């Protein structure tokens, strides 16, 4: 029984790793820098509604309220960091569930979560997406060792990976790191400078 459970756990682990991968884009780094500069970056902000609903269903109302507050505060910090430090390209904030409709039709009516204004994506030839999560390098199956922002490209009706290093920025956290807000601000500032310079090791 234990060996069967172990096999199932290993299978689920490797399947989840594989399913989390996105196919690698057909364009190289310099092409993506040019496309992103003239395009738009959509930052997805989760609302955790399903998790909150599940906690509430279990009678864990306090935990549900804490998650709701933490998610709202984190999203506010992400909006603040990008609006303050990111000017490499046009930028909007969307819900994760908006991704699929946009992939099907970029003229879909979408609302910017930061300004509450309607977004017209039809004027952009190239659309990129990111969110605060664990990223996966394009060339391997390992995960990045910290949560951060990995940029993906909407290509041929699907999200593709544009490569590692330059298009991924991790947010430092831990005992020797500044608080989340300061670390996030620093990360997005560096991220923007790296994209502007075209190099991970900008001057």
């Amino acid at each position: 029984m234990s060996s069967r459970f172990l096999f199932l756990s290993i299978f689920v682990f490797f399947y989840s790793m594989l399913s989390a991968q996105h196919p690698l884009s057909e364009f190289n780094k310099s092409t993506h820098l040019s496309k992103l500069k003239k395009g738009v970056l959509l930052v997805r902000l989760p609302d955790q509604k399903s998790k909150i609903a599940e906690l509430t269903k279990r009678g864990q109302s306090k935990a549900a309220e804490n998650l709701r507050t933490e998610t709202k505060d984190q999203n506010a910090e992400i909006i603040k960091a990008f609006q303050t430090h990111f000017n490499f390209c046009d930028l909007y904030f969307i819900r994760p569930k908006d991704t699929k409709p946009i992939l099907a039709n970029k003229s879909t009516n979408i609302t910017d979560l930061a300004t509450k204004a309607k977004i017209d994506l039809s004027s952009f030839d190239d659309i990129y997406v990111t969110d605060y999560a664990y990223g996966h390098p394009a060339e391997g199956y390992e995960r990045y060792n910290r949560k951060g922002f990995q940029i993906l490209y909407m290509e041929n009706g699907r999200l593709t990976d544009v490569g590692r290093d330059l298009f991924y920025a991790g947010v430092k956290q831990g005992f020797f790191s500044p608080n989340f807000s300061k670390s996030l601000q620093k990360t997005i500032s560096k991220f923007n400078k790296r994209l502007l310079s075209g190099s991970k090791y900008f001057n």
Side-chain angles (χ1 to χ4, degrees), residues 42 94 98-106 110 121 127 154:
L42 305 178
I94 67 169
D98 291 332
T99 308
K100 190 173 182 180
I102 295 172
L103 281 168
N105 180 6
K106 64 180 180 179
I110 302 296
L121 299 176
I127 301 174
M154 289 191 174

Side-chain angles (χ1 to χ4, degrees), residues 18-185:
L18 288 171
S19 62
Q21 301 294 311
H22 294 92
L24 187 62
S25 173
E26 62 184 65
F27 301 107
N28 60 26
K29 180 181 74 173
S30 60
T31 301
H32 274 299
L33 280 172
S34 177
K35 285 178 172 291
L36 178 59
K37 181 66 177 176
K38 295 180 291 185
V40 61
L41 178 63
L42 305 178
V43 181
R44 299 185 291 191
L45 302 176
D47 55 26
Q48 303 288 10
K49 283 186 177 180
S50 59
K51 291 184 180 180
I52 292 171
E54 182 62 28
L55 288 171
T56 302
K57 182 180 178 182
R58 294 177 182 177
Q60 298 174 276
S61 57
K62 181 63 176 178
E65 185 57 34
N66 288 340
L67 179 57
R68 182 182 290 107
T69 300
E70 291 171 4
T71 302
K72 181 180 178 181
D73 291 345
Q74 178 176 282
N75 287 345
E77 292 290 348
I78 291 172
I79 290 173
K80 177 183 176 182
F82 273 95
Q83 287 183 333
T84 304
H85 301 290
F86 193 91
N87 61 6
F88 181 77
C89 64
D90 285 330
L91 179 76
Y92 295 112
F93 301 90
I94 67 169
R95 302 170 301 175
K97 68 179 183 179
D98 291 332
T99 308
K100 190 173 182 180
I102 295 172
L103 281 168
N105 180 6
K106 64 180 180 179
S107 296
T108 300
N109 191 9
I110 302 296
T111 300
D112 179 17
L113 297 179
T115 65
K116 307 306 179 184
K118 298 299 180 183
I119 304 172
D120 181 11
L121 299 176
S122 61
S123 61
F124 297 101
D125 291 329
D126 299 293
I127 301 174
Y128 291 79
V129 175
T130 192
D131 49 20
Y132 181 60
Y134 285 104
H136 291 260
E139 296 86 356
Y141 296 112
E142 75 275 16
R143 301 175 82 183
Y144 290 111
N145 61 4
R146 66 168 70 108
K147 292 181 76 174
F149 297 88
Q150 181 175 6
I151 294 179
L152 304 172
Y153 178 52
M154 289 191 174
E155 184 176 358
N156 300 322
R158 61 183 182 176
L159 292 179
T160 61
D161 198 319
V162 300
R164 67 196 315 173
D165 296 333
L166 180 61
F167 297 100
Y168 172 80
V171 180
K172 290 183 179 180
Q173 292 191 70
F175 184 78
F176 296 104
S177 300
N179 63 43
F180 176 75
S181 178
K182 290 183 179 179
S183 185
L184 178 62
Q185 299 274 332

